Amino acid sequence: MELGERPHRRFNILTGEWILVSPHRTKRPWQGKTENETILKQSTYDEKCYLCPGNTRAGGAINETYTDTYSFVNDFGAILMDGTKTTQKNGLLMSETELGICKVICFSPNHSLTLPLMKVTDIVKVIKLWKKEYAELGAFEEINHIQIFENKGEVMGCSNPHPHGQIWAQSTIPEEPRKKGIQQKIYFEEQGLSLLQAYLAQELKAKERIVYENDDFVALVPFWATWPYETMIIPRKHYQHIGQLSKVEETSFAEAIKVLTTKYDNLFEVSFPYSAGIHQSPTDGLEHKEWHFHMSFYPPLLRSATVKKFMVGYEMFANPQRDITAEQAAKIMKALSTKHYLG
């Protein structure tokens, strides 16, 4: 069967779930909702921005006059450290308190400097801060999982245009990493090898879905990708978490991030929106030899800067579905320039 032309399902080895692929639907006309293009603003400072250096945040706290990266506890965190762990059960109804810390990570003091526009050396500083936060937050006895992520662009619900990411550290392991942990553990115990290490070897041999690679990292479109131009950055070595990266590997990781995000911007020549996140081993004190950390990018744009992929209907009630195949997306992404379209 020719996967590029016929409807088919693909298996996600990391979650144990299936996705429906319908490549023939790329020919259908679009008369639905369109989004506004995300235009890059060139101002280095905005006096009304809650995240710019020295400014007062919505909660009343004042930012430091930071000159590199900067992190602080979110004034409106979704989870909090105060309180005690309790569980309540009433028949089939059960709830428990969730303890945690939410932090904001400002990538740069420059209000308009997104990751693809940053120098590799400056992205390295972001990675170093991620490593620092992973170690410090993970050291709390109550914290068992660290989720590092970035929502870029209004279409992804980003509430502030200043380039930044977030870290949610919490007492329980969330659903997505929990599912990935189960699948990785099953494979590791059966094969004595990291699931992503084996997968990466197969992808490097096939060369169909590779977007970029250097000595330490490979960026590719996963075989089971759900979002139109979804990608994943995987370290070649079997590392459980980002804290294990050497200084050389920090630079390689930064290069992969810069190349990939630059290609995204070049795809439709806009500041490309996405949600990106790092999945890595829990911080619950266990060894977790099965875990192989990786960074995923989930961009919503489908055919142009204004046409978004919606997860509705079938995706909500059945399982995820996509039109463009992973191979088609990878071919398009790989051909894009690594030089940003703005010059």
Side-chain angles (χ1 to χ4, degrees):
M1 180 180 71
E2 178 52 59
L3 295 184
E5 298 176 4
R6 301 283 298 173
H8 61 280
R9 295 201 307 161
R10 297 192 184 197
F11 185 67
N12 184 334
I13 60 173
L14 280 173
T15 63
E17 299 168 339
W18 291 87
I19 173 176
L20 176 65
V21 184
S22 311
H24 59 294
R25 277 166 53 91
T26 56
K27 300 180 179 67
R28 66 177 178 144
W30 181 263
Q31 292 182 309
K33 178 176 171 57
T34 59
E35 303 288 341
N36 294 325
E37 293 188 14
T38 306
I39 307 299
L40 287 171
K41 296 181 179 179
Q42 298 302 308
S43 57
T44 58
Y45 171 77
D46 183 346
E47 61 181 12
K48 297 180 180 179
C49 173
Y50 295 135
L51 301 184
C52 277
N55 286 2
T56 301
R57 300 200 297 271
I62 300 175
N63 295 326
E64 296 177 11
T65 53
Y66 62 98
T67 56
D68 282 319
T69 54
Y70 176 56
S71 67
F72 60 87
V73 176
N74 195 323
D75 302 314
F76 303 96
I79 38 179
L80 306 170
M81 269 304 247
D82 56 344
T84 56
K85 194 78 173 177
T86 61
T87 300
Q88 294 183 332
K89 190 171 183 179
N90 179 14
L92 295 175
L93 311 180
M94 185 169 64
S95 66
E96 63 179 20
T97 53
E98 181 70 8
L99 303 178
I101 305 171
C102 292
K103 301 197 77 171
V104 176
I105 307 293
C106 296
F107 299 153
S108 165
N110 190 321
H111 184 72
S112 63
L113 207 59
T114 56
L115 287 173
L117 298 177
M118 292 173 68
K119 296 178 181 177
V120 169
T121 51
D122 290 328
I123 299 177
V124 168
K125 294 176 183 177
V126 176
I127 293 170
K128 286 182 180 295
L129 184 55
W130 286 342
K131 291 174 67 174
K132 177 175 178 290
E133 294 288 354
Y134 177 81
E136 292 181 356
L137 292 170
F140 283 95
E141 184 178 352
E142 302 89 343
I143 300 301
N144 294 308
H145 182 266
I146 311 291
Q147 184 59 63
I148 299 169
F149 65 97
E150 178 197 6
N151 292 324
K152 182 188 175 199
E154 291 181 2
V155 69
M156 299 309 295
C158 184
S159 61
N160 189 301
H162 191 114
H164 71 284
Q166 298 183 56
I167 298 179
W168 290 16
Q170 62 190 99
S171 54
T172 60
I173 299 173
E175 286 304 293
E176 283 303 302
R178 184 188 66 80
K179 288 185 290 187
K180 288 186 175 184
I182 291 171
Q183 293 300 114
Q184 289 181 97
K185 188 171 185 178
I186 291 172
Y187 190 88
F188 188 81
E189 290 180 346
E190 289 179 352
Q191 304 295 330
L193 180 70
S194 150
L195 176 61
L196 281 183
Q197 212 168 14
Y199 171 67
L200 192 55
Q202 186 170 344
E203 286 287 20
L204 287 170
K205 185 178 180 180
K207 296 289 183 183
E208 286 184 289
R209 289 168 288 274
I210 306 296
V211 175
Y212 169 80
E213 59 181 300
N214 57 33
D215 290 341
D216 302 302
F217 287 86
V218 177
L220 51 80
V221 178
F223 177 76
W224 56 84
T226 299
W227 295 94
Y229 291 97
E230 178 180 330
T231 56
M232 179 187 292
I233 299 177
I234 309 172
R236 291 179 186 267
K237 292 182 180 178
H238 177 193
Y239 287 145
Q240 283 78 37
H241 55 80
I242 58 173
Q244 296 169 305
L245 295 177
S246 67
K247 289 185 178 180
V248 171
E249 289 164 334
E250 288 173 358
T251 299
S252 295
F253 191 19
E255 288 172 350
I257 291 172
K258 181 173 176 64
V259 167
L260 198 56
T261 54
T262 296
K263 284 177 176 287
Y264 275 142
D265 276 13
N266 287 344
L267 183 60
F268 299 130
E269 295 194 349
V270 291
S271 185
F272 201 83
Y274 58 72
S275 279
I278 297 174
H279 275 159
Q280 53 195 327
S281 59
T283 56
D284 55 5
L286 302 178
E287 198 169 7
H288 290 291
K289 288 183 178 180
E290 73 278 3
W291 258 97
H292 192 137
F293 101 79
H294 51 282
M295 184 175 189
S296 295
F297 290 78
Y298 300 154
L301 299 186
L302 176 57
R303 307 179 187 201
S304 70
T306 61
V307 177
K308 177 187 175 184
K309 163 67 177 179
F310 288 90
M311 289 291 182
V312 294
Y314 182 86
E315 289 92 347
M316 285 184 170
F317 295 102
N319 61 243
Q321 179 272 338
R322 65 179 280 138
D323 295 345
I324 184 175
T325 66
E327 295 74 34
Q328 291 168 336
K331 184 177 181 180
I332 292 169
M333 288 285 292
K334 187 174 183 178
L336 292 167
S337 174
T338 57
K339 182 181 178 181
H340 201 277
Y341 74 94
L342 291 178

